[in-house]
Amino acid sequence: MSKLDSKIPEGAIDQKWTKYRSTVALVNPSNKRSLEVLVVGSGLAGASAAATLAEMGYKVKVFCFQDSPRRAHSIAAQGGINAAKNYQNDGDSTYRLFYDTIKGGDYRAREGNVHRLAEVSSSIIDQCVAQGVPLAREYGGLLSNRSFGGTQVQRTFYAAGQTGQQLLLGAYSALQRQVGSGNIELCHRHEMLDIVTIDGVTRGIIARNLITGEMEKHFGHAVLLCTGGYGNVFYLSTNAMGSNVTAAWKAHKKGAFFGNPCYTQIHPTCIPVSGDHQSKLTLMSESLRNDGRIWVPKKKDDNRKATDIPEEERDYYLERRYPAFGNLVPRDVASRGAKERCDAGYGVGNSKMAVYLDFAFNTARYGRTEATKRNIHNPSHEEIMKMGKEVVKEKYGNLFDMYQQITGENPYEVPMRIYPAVHYTMGGLWVDYNLMTTVKGLYALGEANFSDHGANRLGASALMQGLADGYYVIPYTLGVYLSTEVTRMSAEKDKADSIEKLKTNHPAFEKALNEQNDIINKFLTINGTKSVESFHKRLGLIMWNKCGMARNKQGLTEAIAEIQALRKEFWSDVRVLGTATEFNPDLEKAGRVADFIELGELMCKDALHREESCGGHFREEHQTEDGEAQRDDVNFAYVAAWEYKSESNWELNKEELKYENIKIAQRSYK
Ligand SMILES: Cc1cc2nc3c(=O)[nH]c(=O)nc-3n(C[C@H](O)[C@H](O)[C@H](O)COP(=O)(O)OP(=O)(O)OC[C@H]3O[C@@H](n4cnc5c(N)ncnc54)[C@H](O)[C@@H]3O)c2cc1C
C-alpha cells in the first residue's frame, strides 16, 4: 500500500475547496490561545502565514536567518503575480488559470491543488490592494495587467519590476502588526538546524542564534517550513546568496519525503555568465518578453554588431517555431530554444553563449502611438525612438538600469544579451492537500513544497502560490490538525510527563541539540585545506553540466559517483574558519553546503530514474523529432516522493496523478 495519501477532497473540482472549508474541524478561540505555531521563514509564504495565524489567535514564533524579514529572497521577485480576475476581458477564468498551470507544468501537478490555487488567486490581489501594495494601475485608476509565458491572456499584476518587494512589504506590515500586538515573537538571525520529533510527531525545532552562536530549543504544536527553494545547489543561480535547503533537508532526514527533487526551472532571460569568479547570476524579468523579441543571427559565428545585422538576416526563432505563443512560450521551452541555437553555433557575444532580447521593434511601436497621441505628424525616426524609450523606461526602467550597471551596455540602444540560468525549484517537500508533509505536524509552504507547478512553473505563479498557501490555505488546513492536538492535550492534562508539561525539557530536544552541536564541532575540527566555497562551486559545476538544462543517463550516473566522492572529500578536507560562539558566516555556509551535496545526489538519482522528459526535466534520450520534451504518461504520471533511509540510500514512493478535468496531451505552443 502507498505510504502517500494526498487527502484530496471528494467531489467536483470546483466544489472541493468550498466544501472542505465549510466542513473542516475548527479550533475555538480560547484553545487557539494555547496552541503554539513555529513558522520558519519570513518570505511571502512565511510572513503571510504567520500574520494570518496570529490574527486568528494562535501563538506564533517566526524565524529567519536574515537581519529582517524584509530581506527574505521574495524581495527579489520582479515581474508579477498572476490572478484570474479577467480585468482585461480577454477570456480569462478560474478554469483557464487552472488549465494553463496544469499544462504549463507538463501534466505533472495535482489537479485538486492547482484548482484551489486558481480559485483563491483573485482574493490575493484584493488582500494586497487592501494592505496598500502599490500595484501598477492604468491611467484611469484600474489595476493594470501584463502577459507572462504560457498563457494567451493578460493576468499578471505587477509593481514595476519590484513586485516581490512591494508584496513583501505588505505581508511584512501585517506581520509587524502582530509582533507589535504581542501575538508573534520574531527570531531574526536564527537558523533552524533540525526539527524535533517525539513518537513521530513534530514538536519543535533546534535553531542557532547566528549572532552569538547559541543553540536554542523551541517548542511548537506545529511547525511550518516556509524556507524557500534550493536553486543554489547549482552554485550559480538567480536566487539570493543565502537561499539554501538546510531546513527542508534536515526535515527530510527526519522523515519528510522529498517530492520531485530533479524538477528545476532554468529561466531563459538572465544575464550570461561572464567569468570564472562569479558567484551570482542576475535575472532579467520575464515581463521583458512582453516587449522584447528574442533572436540570433541567421548566419553562424556572425560577429557583426547586433544593430548592423539587417532584419532579414535575423532568426526570431521562438516566433518561427511557436507562432501561437511566440516569445511568450513557457520558460522551459524558451530556455531549450536558446540552448539549441547556441549549441548549433548561432550564439552571440564573446562567449557565443547568449541570444539577443531586442526592444527596438516595440520601442518604435510605442513611439508611433505616442506621436499619434501628441498630434505629431510625420515624426522622424529619432523622435519616434525618443518617445518610445520614455514608454519603455516607465515599464521596465529599473530592469534596464540593472542591466546597464552589470554589463556596461545600454539596452535602450542595443539588444540585451541573455542566456538561461537556474532560477526556481519545482521540487520540494512532499505535502498533502493540507500542506502537511509525511511527518505529522510538519508543514511546508511556498517554494519549499513541491505542490502546484508540476515539472515547470509558469512565470508569476510562485508569488501567487506562496501567498495562497500563507493567506488562504494554511489558515484552514492547520486547524484540522490542531483540533486533534486540543483533544490530545485535554486527555493528557493530568499526566506528569505530558508533552505540555515537559515541552523543551523533553529528552528528544536535548538529543537533537547535541546532534547539531556534534556536526558543528566536526566542521570546526576537520581543519582541512579547501574552503567551503570551493566545494560549493565544484558541486555547482557537476550539477549544471550533468543535471542542468539537458540530462542523460551517462552524465547522471557519473554525477552521482562524483558527488559521492565530493562528499567524502568535503568531510575530510574542508577548512571552516572561526569558532562556534561568534557570528561566523563560514560555519553557516559549511552546514548549507554539506546539505546541498546530499541533495545534489538525490536530484541526480531522481533525474536518472525518470526515463522521460517533462517540463524543466529534459532527458536527451526522450525527445520528439523536433526536439520537444517527450513525456511517458504510461509509466511516469506520478509524483516521485523520496524517503530517506540512510547515507546515499532512498526509497521511492509514487503518488499517482489523476487527470479527471483536463485531457492530458502532448504540450503544444505552436
Ligand atoms: C530574481 C527572481 C525573481 C523572481 N520573480 C518572480 C516573479 O516576478 N513572480 C513570481 O511569481 N515569482 C518570482 N520569483 C520566484 C519567487 O520570488 C520565489 O519563489 C518566492 O518568493 C519564494 O517565496 P518563499 O516565501 O517560499 O521563500 P523565500 O522568500 O525564499 O523565503 C525563505 C525564508 O526562509 C528563511 N529560511 C530559510 N532557511 C531557513 C532556516 N534554516 N532557518 C531559518 N530561516 C530560514 C529565510 O530567512 C527567508 O525568510 C523570482 C525569483 C527570483 C530568484
Side-chain angles (χ1 to χ4, degrees):
M1 205 184 91
S2 172
K3 293 179 192 162
L4 301 169
D5 178 3
S6 58
K7 301 206 172 85
I8 305 282
E10 293 297 321
I13 189 87
D14 56 352
Q15 292 302 311
K16 286 181 196 287
W17 179 233
T18 309
K19 189 158 169 235
Y20 175 102
R21 279 189 299 152
S22 317
T23 51
V24 283
L26 300 175
V27 179
N28 85 31
S30 64
N31 283 333
K32 280 192 187 114
R33 284 193 285 275
S34 58
L35 289 165
E36 296 170 55
V37 181
L38 306 184
V39 179
V40 187
S42 62
L44 283 174
S48 57
T52 312
L53 295 172
E55 174 84 39
M56 289 167 78
Y58 294 110
K59 283 166 74 175
V60 179
K61 257 190 212 178
V62 174
F63 300 81
C64 65
F65 60 73
Q66 290 93 348
D67 55 350
S68 158
R70 275 176 306 166
R71 295 203 211 294
H73 159 72
S74 289
I75 202 168
Q78 300 173 349
I81 174 167
N82 288 329
K85 276 196 172 283
N86 194 26
Y87 279 175
Q88 305 301 319
N89 199 20
D90 56 1
D92 204 5
S93 64
T94 299
Y95 183 84
R96 209 178 276 276
L97 174 49
F98 160 63
Y99 176 85
D100 286 347
T101 308
I102 294 278
K103 177 182 169 191
D106 217 352
Y107 305 94
R108 289 291 175 264
R110 261 188 217 145
E111 279 195 343
N113 282 53
V114 177
H115 201 279
R116 174 176 68 186
L117 177 65
E119 282 174 59
V120 303
S121 65
S122 289
S123 307
I124 296 170
I125 302 302
D126 297 340
Q127 158 83 356
C128 297
V129 168
Q131 284 172 342
V133 173
L135 293 172
R137 290 177 184 270
E138 305 290 356
Y139 180 74
L142 299 175
L143 290 176
S144 175
N145 296 124
R146 56 189 175 199
S147 296
F148 260 57
T151 69
Q152 288 174 314
V153 295
Q154 281 181 267
R155 64 161 74 99
T156 304
F157 294 78
Y158 62 99
Q162 307 172 337
T163 314
Q165 179 177 3
Q166 298 306 327
L167 292 173
L168 189 60
L169 287 173
Y172 171 74
S173 313
L175 176 86
Q176 283 300 121
R177 179 170 171 268
Q178 297 302 328
V179 173
S181 308
N183 303 326
I184 291 183
E185 187 187 334
L186 187 56
C187 307
H188 46 78
R189 285 277 188 219
H190 274 65
E191 179 155 34
M192 180 202 122
L193 293 180
D194 209 355
I195 60 163
V196 181
T197 57
I198 301 174
D199 299 328
V201 180
T202 312
R203 294 294 175 206
I205 66 167
I206 302 299
R208 179 166 179 268
N209 179 325
L210 297 178
I211 305 288
T212 62
E214 196 186 332
M215 300 290 275
E216 298 174 3
K217 303 180 268 190
H218 295 269
F219 174 84
H221 293 94
V223 173
L224 276 47
L225 298 186
C226 313
T227 44
Y230 51 85
N232 280 345
V233 66
F234 289 85
Y235 186 70
L236 285 181
S237 90
T238 64
N239 288 194
M241 297 290 284
S243 295
N244 69 86
V245 77
T246 288
W249 193 252
K250 293 289 181 51
H252 173 57
K253 289 175 86 169
K254 283 272 170 83
F257 293 5
F258 215 104
N260 300 327
C262 80
Y263 288 172
T264 310
Q265 176 156 90
I266 318 275
H267 197 298
T269 56
C270 304
I271 299 181
V273 177
S274 59
D276 285 345
H277 297 291
Q278 203 169 342
S279 52
K280 174 87 185 76
L281 292 175
T282 306
L283 173 77
M284 287 288 106
S285 166
E286 180 159 309
S287 59
L288 293 171
R289 283 197 272 150
N290 276 260
D291 289 316
R293 297 177 70 198
I294 295 179
W295 64 275
V296 289
K298 281 187 180 163
K299 207 171 77 184
K300 277 190 187 177
D301 273 330
D302 193 332
N303 289 322
R304 285 176 291 176
K305 284 202 301 203
T307 42
D308 290 345
I309 301 178
E311 198 57 30
E312 60 280 7
E313 292 180 39
R314 299 174 176 193
D315 177 15
Y316 294 90
Y317 57 88
L318 291 179
E319 297 172 31
R320 167 171 60 78
R321 289 178 64 177
Y322 309 101
F325 284 70
N327 292 295
L328 282 168
V329 288
R331 294 174 177 176
D332 56 334
V333 177
S335 291
R336 273 198 292 281
K339 181 176 186 312
E340 187 278 327
R341 284 293 78 190
C342 292
D343 288 352
Y346 296 91
V348 301
N350 288 341
S351 67
K352 300 284 176 204
M353 291 306 276
V355 299
Y356 288 129
L357 179 64
D358 193 340
F359 297 86
F361 179 85
N362 285 305
T363 305
R365 181 170 64 83
Y366 286 128
R368 282 193 296 275
T369 308
E370 283 301 300
T372 310
K373 284 203 273 190
R374 297 179 200 180
N375 258 331
I376 304 174
H377 302 291
N378 299 322
S380 67
H381 179 69
E382 284 67 34
E383 283 176 304
I384 288 175
M385 293 309 276
K386 185 165 177 285
M387 285 183 282
K389 279 174 200 163
E390 285 164 17
V391 178
V392 169
K393 185 167 186 186
E394 203 162 292
K395 284 173 167 250
Y396 314 112
N398 69 316
L399 301 172
F400 275 49
D401 289 349
M402 201 154 66
Y403 182 86
Q404 184 158 12
Q405 276 162 19
I406 292 171
T407 65
E409 289 173 5
N410 179 356
Y412 293 101
E413 303 296 337
V414 295
M416 288 182 178
R417 281 174 298 106
I418 51 156
Y419 195 72
V422 173
H423 179 66
Y424 181 88
T425 43
M426 282 76 69
L429 292 178
W430 184 92
V431 288
D432 64 17
Y433 192 72
N434 297 318
L435 305 182
M436 199 197 272
T437 67
T438 45
V439 182
K440 217 169 167 185
L442 180 71
Y443 292 76
L445 281 67
E447 194 173 338
N449 72 29
F450 88 104
S451 72
D452 294 356
H453 309 292
N456 172 62
R457 172 176 72 80
L458 290 185
S461 286
L463 303 185
M464 171 174 70
Q465 183 226 327
L467 290 179
D469 287 357
Y471 283 134
Y472 292 101
V473 179
I474 200 73
Y476 288 98
T477 61
L478 188 62
V480 178
Y481 171 66
L482 289 182
S483 63
T484 65
E485 277 291 278
V486 173
T487 314
R488 180 194 58 77
M489 284 153 72
S490 156
E492 289 179 2
K493 75 176 181 321
D494 297 327
K495 255 176 90 181
D497 61 348
S498 71
I499 299 281
E500 301 310 301
K501 294 208 175 89
L502 290 178
K503 290 200 169 166
T504 57
N505 291 325
H506 191 287
F509 276 88
E510 200 55 27
K511 184 167 172 284
L513 186 129
N514 289 337
E515 282 166 7
Q516 292 312 312
N517 270 330
D518 288 348
I519 295 175
I520 288 176
N521 289 336
K522 178 99 197 274
F523 284 140
L524 293 167
T525 48
I526 294 173
N527 256 328
T529 60
K530 299 192 182 88
S531 70
V532 175
E533 187 75 3
S534 70
F535 282 99
H536 192 186
K537 206 167 175 175
R538 283 164 64 194
L539 173 69
L541 264 183
I542 301 172
M543 294 301 293
W544 178 247
N545 289 337
K546 298 185 171 164
C547 193
M549 241 193 299
R551 302 146 176 203
N552 59 49
K553 187 173 181 181
Q554 188 190 335
L556 289 165
T557 311
E558 286 166 7
I560 291 171
E562 286 169 29
I563 294 171
Q564 287 174 350
L566 190 73
R567 190 183 60 233
K568 284 207 180 74
E569 193 182 330
F570 176 88
W571 284 105
S572 59
D573 199 20
V574 73
R575 184 179 186 81
V576 182
L577 306 171
T579 68
T581 51
E582 60 179 341
F583 177 62
N584 186 343
D586 206 40
L587 179 60
E588 285 169 34
K589 177 132 192 178
R592 295 171 189 174
V593 171
D595 295 333
F596 274 142
I597 293 176
E598 294 183 11
L599 164 75
E601 183 179 347
L602 180 62
M603 288 172 73
C604 294
K605 215 173 163 115
D606 186 39
L608 181 63
H609 110 282
R610 192 168 276 279
E611 287 279 356
E612 64 162 354
S613 292
C614 55
H617 168 64
F618 191 71
R619 280 288 299 267
E620 287 171 332
E621 303 93 328
H622 305 287
Q623 49 183 306
T624 61
E625 269 177 11
D626 42 0
E628 304 293 348
Q630 176 96 63
R631 286 197 327 265
D632 175 353
D633 294 328
V634 175
N635 295 304
F636 290 96
Y638 61 76
V639 176
W642 296 90
E643 180 179 358
Y644 181 82
K645 293 287 182 187
S646 58
E647 189 178 301
S648 294
N649 180 16
W650 288 269
E651 184 180 315
L652 173 62
N653 295 276
K654 299 177 183 177
E655 180 199 339
E656 193 194 337
L657 292 167
K658 296 194 197 92
Y659 292 93
E660 291 160 348
N661 299 278
I662 285 182
K663 192 169 167 304
I664 192 159
Q666 171 72 34
R667 218 159 46 128
S668 169
Y669 292 96
K670 290 191 171 158

